[in-house]
Amino acid sequence: MQMMKETLAELVRVYDAAVACLKADMIAFIENGTLPPPERRTERRWTYPELRVTYRGQEKAARASRAFGRLEAAGSYCTTVTRPTLFAEYLAEQLSLLEAEYEVEFEVSRSAQEIPFPYVLDGVAIGTVKPQDLAQHFPSTELAMIGDEIADGIHVFEEDDPLPLALFDGLRTDFSLARLAHYTGTSPEHCQRFVLFTNYHRYVDEFVDWAGKQVGSDGYVALSGAGGLYLDAPVDNARARLSDTAWRRHQMPAYHLIKEDRSGITLVNIGVGPSNAKTITDHLAVLRPEAWLMIGHCGGLRESQRIGDYVLAHAYLRDDHVLDPVLPPEIPLPAIAEVQQALAEAAERVSGGGVNLKKRMRTGTIVTTDDRNWELRYTASARRFSLSRAIGIDMESATISAQGYRFRVPYGTLLCVSDKPLHGELKLPGQANRFYEEAIASHLKIGLITCDLLREQGDRLHSRKLRAFNEPPFR
C-alpha cells in the first residue's frame, strides 16, 4: 500500500504548509499591518489539499460486497481534505480499499477552496485587531459554500466536473469540527467512532463512573469530558471529578472513553428536543462514526407497559419536522438489522433473556414529536398514534435515526419508559427517583454491550440500504 502511504504524507505536507503560510501572514498583519502578497491567492497558498482518485475502469480483483469503497464508473473522483492527521486512519482505510481492488491513481494538489482564517487561529493572538479586519484580507467563512448537497443528492455537476469522492469536503468538515468543540466542550480529537446519545444527565454520571474504571484495560487509554475532565489511569467514583458547570457552559456536553484507534465510546447528553438532536448529528457526521444509538427515556403509550420497560424501535413516526425540507417524513427509515440484533442481544444478556426480557421489552414504532406538551393536544393526535401502532413517544429518536439515514451512519434506538402519561402515571419527583435508580445502570449497560457487539462486526455493520444511487466511494 505504498501509494496510499505516500498520498497521506503528501496530504499532510500540503495542508500543514497552507496552514503555516496563512498563520504567518496573519501574524505579520496583526503585528505590523503587513498586507499579504497578492500571489498568495493566485498560487493557492491558503487552500485545502485536493485529493483526486482517477479510475480508468480496470479492476484488480473481485470486488467485496461491502457497502463502501466501491467505484461504479470510470472517471476522476475528488474532494478537499482538512486535518489529514486527525482523519489519517479513516483516509488510510478508504484509500487502501480502492488501491487493493482497482487500477487507480492518487493525486494530491492545492485546491481552489480556501481555508477560512477562523479555523487556524489556535496559537495566534489577534490583540486589538478585529475579525472584520482579518476578513478583508484573508479567507473567511462563506456560508454559501458550505452545505450537504452531496449527502442529500442535490449537488449539481457540470458535464466535465469530477465525481465526489466523499460526502463532506474540507470546508464543511472544518465548520463542524469547530461547532463540535463549542457544543460538547471537548476536542474533536477525542470523539470516538461509537456514539451513544442520551437525554438525561444521570446517564452521564453512570457512564463516567463505569468508564473511569475501564481506563487501562481492554484498549481504553483515557477518559475525556466536558469541563476539563481527563483521566489516564483507572479511578473509582469518577463522577466526583465532573465539573458542576459543564452543563451550563456547553449545550450538549460529551464524554469519551478513548481507544488509540478511536474505536472507543462517546456519550453525548443532547438534552431535550429534535433541534439539539439534528444539531449534534450534523456535526458528528463529519467524523464518520461507525454507529450512533439513542439510549434515553420515552413516554409509554400502551397500558401493558410498566415504568422501566424497554422499547426497541423498529420504526418511527416523524413528527419532529426539523428535517422535513431535506428528508420528507414520507421517506421510510429502514431498521438496520445489524444494529437491531445487537441491541436485542445486549438486552437479553443484561435482562437474562427468555420470559424476563419479553416482559420488559417491546418492539414497535416510536413517535418523535417537536411539542414537549403534546399531551395537551392528544385528542388531535390520538388516531394518528393509533394508526401507527406506536408504543412510545420521545423528542429525539427519529431525528437521530433520520440523520443516520441521511449521512450513512448506522443507527438504532433503545428507550426506557419513564412515564405513562395516557394512563395516569406521570413523571413525578418521587416516582422518577425510584425509576432512575432501578433502570439507568442496566439501560446504559445494554448500550455499552451493543457498542462492543457492533465493533466486532467490522465492515458488515455498514448496510447497503443506506447507500444512494450515485454514492461517493468513501464511507
Side-chain angles (χ1 to χ4, degrees), residues 149-171:
E149 288 81 4
I150 295 175
D152 291 328
I154 56 176
H155 189 82
V156 178
F157 294 95
E158 300 295 334
E159 185 175 348
D160 295 330
D161 284 350
L163 297 166
L165 182 62
L167 293 175
F168 304 109
D169 61 13
L171 201 56

Side-chain angles (χ1 to χ4, degrees), residues 183-186 191 224-227 250 252-256 266-269 280:
Y183 285 119
T184 68
T186 59
C191 289
S224 165
H250 307 291
M252 290 173 275
Y255 304 86
H256 316 283
T266 285
L267 176 79
V268 187
N269 181 8
I280 196 65

Side-chain angles (χ1 to χ4, degrees), residues 348 351-359:
E348 187 168 352
S351 298
V355 176
N356 225 16
L357 181 59
K358 287 185 178 180
K359 286 181 178 179

Side-chain angles (χ1 to χ4, degrees), residues 56-268:
R56 308 191 191 284
Q58 298 297 314
E59 297 180 15
K60 285 184 180 178
R63 291 185 294 175
S65 60
R66 65 177 175 272
F68 58 93
R70 301 169 65 86
L71 296 171
E72 301 296 344
S76 289
Y77 297 78
C78 284
T79 191
T80 55
V81 175
T82 189
R83 308 277 294 275
T85 301
L86 172 62
F87 291 96
E89 290 180 356
Y90 168 77
L91 292 168
E93 177 191 37
Q94 306 309 305
L95 292 173
S96 295
L97 294 174
L98 298 181
E99 186 178 357
E101 295 184 6
Y102 303 92
E103 293 289 348
V104 289
E105 298 171 7
F106 300 154
E107 180 185 357
V108 176
S109 61
R110 296 172 184 166
S111 74
Q113 191 178 75
E114 293 184 325
I115 304 172
F117 76 84
Y119 301 147
V120 301
L121 278 178
D122 282 351
V124 178
I126 66 172
T128 59
V129 175
K130 298 177 181 178
Q132 301 94 299
D133 298 329
L134 291 171
Q136 290 181 10
H137 306 288
F138 300 96
S140 58
T141 48
E142 296 288 343
L143 293 180
M145 305 298 293
I146 304 172
D148 289 322
E149 288 81 4
I150 295 175
D152 291 328
I154 56 176
H155 189 82
V156 178
F157 294 95
E158 300 295 334
E159 185 175 348
D160 295 330
D161 284 350
L163 297 166
L165 182 62
L167 293 175
F168 304 109
D169 61 13
L171 201 56
R172 169 68 168 83
T173 300
D174 262 341
F175 175 79
S176 283
L177 294 180
R179 290 293 178 91
L180 275 176
H182 170 73
Y183 285 119
T184 68
T186 59
S187 168
E189 282 89 349
H190 292 171
C191 289
Q192 302 297 290
R193 291 188 280 126
F194 294 89
V195 182
L196 298 178
F197 298 110
T198 188
N199 51 12
Y200 198 71
H201 184 75
R202 294 201 184 196
Y203 284 81
V204 172
D205 292 340
E206 195 70 33
F207 176 78
V208 169
D209 268 354
W210 174 82
K213 299 174 184 176
Q214 310 308 309
V215 177
S217 63
D218 295 331
Y220 295 114
V221 297
L223 172 63
S224 165
L229 175 70
Y230 192 86
L231 303 172
D232 56 8
V235 299
D236 291 327
N237 193 28
R239 76 173 71 181
R241 307 194 182 200
L242 289 174
S243 168
D244 291 336
T245 64
W247 65 271
R248 287 197 295 253
R249 292 188 287 126
H250 307 291
Q251 188 173 344
M252 290 173 275
Y255 304 86
H256 316 283
L257 183 56
I258 299 170
K259 289 195 174 190
E260 289 185 348
D261 62 356
R262 295 186 54 244
S263 67
I265 301 171
T266 285
L267 176 79
V268 187

